[in-house]
Amino acid sequence: MRSSIRAVVLASLMIMFVANPAAASWQFTTWGMTPAQVIAASSGKAMALSEEESKGLSSGNQIARAAMPYASGEFQFKAIFLFDTSDHLVAVNLDLERGTMSALRIALEQKYGVPLPSGNWHSAEDEIVFFPIGENHGFVLYRPLTNQNNKGL
């Protein structure tokens, strides 16, 4: 009896995971989260930004609502969480604080392969955009892939 119940539970879980594939994301986030959800998912590492702090980090319709320090390998970043006007997560900007852009590009190529002719990379459902501003400054932007109609692929 126990084994048949266990089999039913496992089959149900497998169907849930197949029917509802995980949405694309960056680290602990999922595109479409609210600022409160991002902050909660970060285990307290991401902090809400004041309106004043947000102004210098926002761009067009992408509003910076939260930020946190983030490290990967030899690189240190300020991760800035960008939201649309409905407060849904639409991008994560990793502003390089320690490391070089040339070393970061090599690391991105090792992880994602040779970039597309645009200079960007695509993972399964995300676009990774590399913005060097100088050898010691620049950023990497993670955002969901979209088509010409601004709809997810």
Side-chain angles (χ1 to χ4, degrees), residues 2-133:
R2 279 186 142 175
S3 61
S4 62
I5 293 173
R6 188 178 312 157
V8 169
V9 170
L10 286 173
S12 298
L13 289 173
M14 288 175 64
I15 290 169
M16 280 177 32
F17 286 118
V18 171
N20 298 315
S25 61
W26 177 81
Q27 297 297 318
F28 54 85
T29 65
T30 302
W31 304 129
M33 286 179 134
T34 65
Q37 290 172 323
V38 168
I39 291 167
S42 76
S43 301
K45 292 178 184 169
M47 304 298 285
L49 296 172
S50 69
E51 216 172 291
E52 189 64 31
E53 291 170 314
S54 176
K55 284 181 186 175
L57 301 172
S58 298
S59 175
N61 290 334
Q62 295 185 348
I63 305 156
R65 298 267 191 232
M68 64 178 263
Y70 174 72
S72 179
E74 66 188 83
F75 307 103
Q76 288 188 354
F77 304 91
K78 180 176 190 175
I80 302 162
F81 301 94
L82 300 166
F83 298 83
D84 63 17
T85 55
S86 298
D87 269 348
H88 296 112
L89 183 65
V90 294
V92 178
N93 183 11
L94 299 180
D95 191 356
L96 184 66
E97 294 187 327
R98 193 180 85 200
T100 65
M101 292 304 288
S102 56
L104 179 56
R105 182 173 182 85
I106 291 168
L108 288 167
E109 287 180 0
Q110 288 173 344
K111 181 168 184 168
Y112 299 110
V114 176
L116 299 170
S118 64
N120 302 341
W121 291 268
H122 290 174
S123 65
E125 295 183 24
D126 300 323
E127 180 176 30
I128 300 94
V129 184
F130 181 73
F131 287 100
I133 296 173

